[in-house]
Amino acid sequence: MATMLVTDLSRAQFALTALFHIVWPVLTIGLSFFLVVIEALWLKTGDVDYYRHARFWAKLFVLNFSVGVVTGLPLEFEFGTNWAEFSRFAGDFFGAALGFEGAMAFMLEAGFLSIMLLGWQRVPRAVHFFATLMVAVGASLSALWIVMANSWMQTPAGGSVVNGRFVVTDFWAAMFNPDMVWGVSHMWVAALETGCFVVGGVSAWYVLKNRNPAFFMKSFKMAVLAAVLITPLQIYLGDGSGKSVFVYQPAKGAAIEGHWHTNPVGQGAAWAVAAWPDAKKGANDWEIKIPNALSLLATSTWDGQVKGLLDIAPQDRPPALPLLFYSFRLMVVIGLYFFALMLLSLWHAWRHGWQDAAWQSRPWLLKGWLWAVPLGYVAVELGWTVREVGRQPWLVYGLLRTSEGASPLPASSVMFSMAGYTVLYIVLAIAFFIFARRWLRKGPDLTLEPPAVPQHGWQDRRI
C-alpha cells in the first residue's frame, strides 16, 4: 500500500508539472513561426507595419519562452528523483533523446534568441531573419525529440529487454517507432493551431476595441489564412493518430470509446457518442450509439473488428475511463469548433472583404476568435491527458508497468515537493498574467522605425 501511495503521488506530481509546462512550449512553437512569416513579409514588402508586428509579438514570445524554460526544468529532474527505476530501464534510448533535445534543440533556440530580441540595430536584416528562423527551428526540434521519446514509450521499438533494461540495437527504429510520425506531427500542428488562434484572438480583441484596427487586421488576416491550412490538417492527423491507437494500443482505443465487446466478424462496431463507462460493471451505465460508426472510425470499413475491453486482461486496462472518454470528445469538439470558425471567417472575408469596419459590424464573429484563445490550450491538455492516462498501467507500453518504474521515496517527500511546485507554478502563472496584461493594454508602438539598410557590411559590429 505504501508503494502504491508513493507511485500515485509521483504520478500526480508529474501530471501537475507536465500539464502546467506544456501550455508554454505550444505557444512558443506556434508564435515562433508567426514571427518568421511576419519578418519575411517585412523584408519582402518593406511595409513598416510588419516590422512593428514583429516587435510587438516578440514581447509575448519571450515572456512565454521564459516561463516555459523555468517550468520545464523540474520535469528533467523528476526522471531521476521520482522515476529512477524507469530511467534505469529506459535510459539507453530515453536519456539519449532528452540529451539530443538539450544539446541540439534548446541550445540552438537559446543561442539565437538574444540576436532575435536585441539584434535589430546590431546585425544586418538577413542575419536577424536567420536568427528568428533558427529560434523557430530550435523550438520545433525540441518538440520533435521530446514527443519522439514519448512516442517510444507508447510503441517501444528498436531493441529488447536484457537483464531488466531496454537495450537499443537499432536507434533509428527506436526513433521512428510506430507512433512517432503521428504523435510528433499531431502535437506540432497542435502548437501551430494554438499559436494561430492566440494571434487571431488577440488581434480580434484589438479590432473589437477599435484600437488600431487597421494594424491588427493584418495579423488577423494572417491567422485566418493560416487556419485554412492548419485546422483541416489537424483533423486529418487526429484521425490518423486515432486509427494508429487501435492498431498498436487496443486497450487505449477501447477505453477512449467505451467499447466493451469485440464485435463479431462481419458485424460493425457501434460508436458511443455519449456514455458513462463503469469499470466495475464492465459495461456502460448508459450510452447513445451510432451503428457501425466505430468500425468506420477505427478501421475505415463498415464492419471492421474492434477489440473490446472485456477481451483485455483487467490488470492491463487503462484507469479513469470517464476521464478518457470525455477528454477525447471535448478535444474533438474544440477541433471542430476551430474548423467551423475558420469556415465562417473565410466566408465573411469572401463576402465582405478584410476592412476592419466590415468585421466590427459582426462582433459575434470576432468574439468567436476571442473565445478560441484558451481553447487551443484546453485541447492540448485534453489530448495529452488521453495520451498519458490511456497508456496506463504501462510506463513503457507492454514492457514496464508504472508501478515498477517509480522511485522508492517516502510519501512525505513527494507531498512536500508537490506542494512546493504548486506554489511556484501559482506564482509563475500570476506573474505571467500580470505582465501579459500590461503587454496587451499597452499595445504596439506604432512610432517604431525599422533599422536603416547598411551601405557596407555590418550596421554595428557590437552584438
Side-chain angles (χ1 to χ4, degrees), residues 361-383:
S361 67
R362 302 289 191 278
W364 59 269
L365 188 53
L366 292 173
K367 288 179 181 178
W369 278 85
L370 187 57
W371 297 331
V373 170
L375 291 182
Y377 295 106
V378 174
V380 168
E381 297 280 21
L382 291 171

Side-chain angles (χ1 to χ4, degrees), residues 250-260 275-285 308-310 312 314 316-329 385-386 389-390 392-393:
K252 179 193 285 189
I256 289 170
E257 300 297 354
H259 180 61
W260 293 95
W276 192 261
D278 189 326
K280 292 182 179 179
K281 291 182 180 178
N284 297 329
D285 287 343
L309 283 170
L310 293 180
I312 297 168
D316 294 338
R317 299 173 192 168
L321 297 183
L323 174 66
L324 283 170
F325 188 90
Y326 284 104
S327 293
F328 178 76
R329 278 152 179 76
T385 297
V386 170
V389 176
Q392 302 301 318

Side-chain angles (χ1 to χ4, degrees), residues 42-356:
W42 167 57
L43 292 174
K44 180 176 177 59
T45 66
D47 187 340
V48 70
D49 277 350
Y50 289 130
Y51 169 76
R52 291 165 181 166
H53 267 295
R55 298 296 297 269
F56 173 71
W57 294 101
K59 294 177 183 178
L60 178 61
F61 176 87
V62 72
L63 180 60
N64 188 85
F65 176 82
S66 301
V67 180
V69 171
V70 173
T71 57
L73 290 174
L75 293 171
E76 303 281 353
F77 287 109
E78 282 178 274
F79 290 119
T81 57
N82 295 72
W83 301 100
E85 293 304 312
F86 163 74
S87 297
R88 185 187 66 81
F89 175 86
D92 203 21
F93 174 74
F94 202 83
L98 294 187
F100 280 127
E101 188 274 332
M104 179 189 299
F106 180 73
M107 291 303 174
L108 178 67
E109 187 179 13
F112 282 97
L113 183 63
S114 60
I115 299 175
M116 188 189 87
L117 295 175
L118 305 174
W120 288 103
Q121 305 293 337
R122 294 178 169 86
V123 298
R125 293 180 176 187
V127 173
H128 189 277
F129 176 73
F130 181 76
T132 304
L133 180 62
M134 289 301 99
V135 169
V137 170
S140 291
L141 282 175
S142 181
L144 169 68
W145 284 109
I146 290 172
V147 181
M148 182 187 293
N150 182 267
S151 291
W152 178 84
M153 294 170 66
Q154 308 286 338
T155 54
S160 60
V161 179
V162 179
N163 296 325
R165 293 179 63 249
F166 187 89
V167 177
V168 176
T169 56
D170 186 340
F171 197 79
W172 286 100
M175 288 171 56
F176 293 95
N177 59 79
D179 179 71
M180 179 267 178
V181 172
W182 291 115
V184 170
S185 59
H186 193 41
M187 185 65 210
W188 186 71
V189 175
L192 297 183
E193 191 170 48
T194 301
C196 170
F197 282 93
V198 167
V199 170
V202 171
S203 301
W205 182 82
Y206 278 104
V207 176
L208 269 172
K209 296 291 183 180
N210 202 33
R211 289 184 57 185
N212 307 311
F215 178 81
F216 279 103
M217 278 305 301
K218 292 185 177 181
S219 52
F220 181 74
K221 180 180 179 180
M222 290 178 61
V224 173
L225 295 179
V228 172
L229 299 175
I230 292 171
T231 54
L233 176 60
Q234 184 67 330
I235 291 172
Y236 166 76
L237 292 173
D239 177 65
S241 180
K243 285 181 169 62
S244 176
V245 164
F246 283 98
V247 174
Y248 297 102
Q249 296 176 293
K252 179 193 285 189
I256 289 170
E257 300 297 354
H259 180 61
W260 293 95
H261 300 278
T262 303
N263 55 302
V265 175
Q267 180 178 327
W271 177 53
V273 180
W276 192 261
D278 189 326
K280 292 182 179 179
K281 291 182 180 178
N284 297 329
D285 287 343
W286 57 267
E287 57 191 13
I288 302 172
K289 286 189 170 184
I290 300 176
N292 297 85
L294 182 57
S295 289
L296 183 62
L297 291 170
T299 68
S300 299
T301 63
W302 282 106
D303 57 359
Q305 192 171 59
V306 182
K307 193 172 186 178
L309 283 170
L310 293 180
D311 286 328
I312 297 168
Q315 67 270 21
D316 294 338
R317 299 173 192 168
L321 297 183
L323 174 66
L324 283 170
F325 188 90
Y326 284 104
S327 293
F328 178 76
R329 278 152 179 76
L330 287 173
M331 177 186 65
V332 171
V333 167
I334 291 172
L336 294 176
Y337 173 81
F338 285 163
F339 184 69
L341 183 60
M342 177 274 293
L343 289 178
L344 282 171
S345 301
L346 199 61
W347 175 83
H348 184 271
W350 176 66
R351 291 292 302 273
H352 304 285
W354 296 100
Q355 295 300 316
D356 50 273

Side-chain angles (χ1 to χ4, degrees), residues 1-8 403 406:
M1 290 297 293
T3 301
M4 290 179 61
L5 175 62
V6 172
T7 300
D8 289 340
S403 58

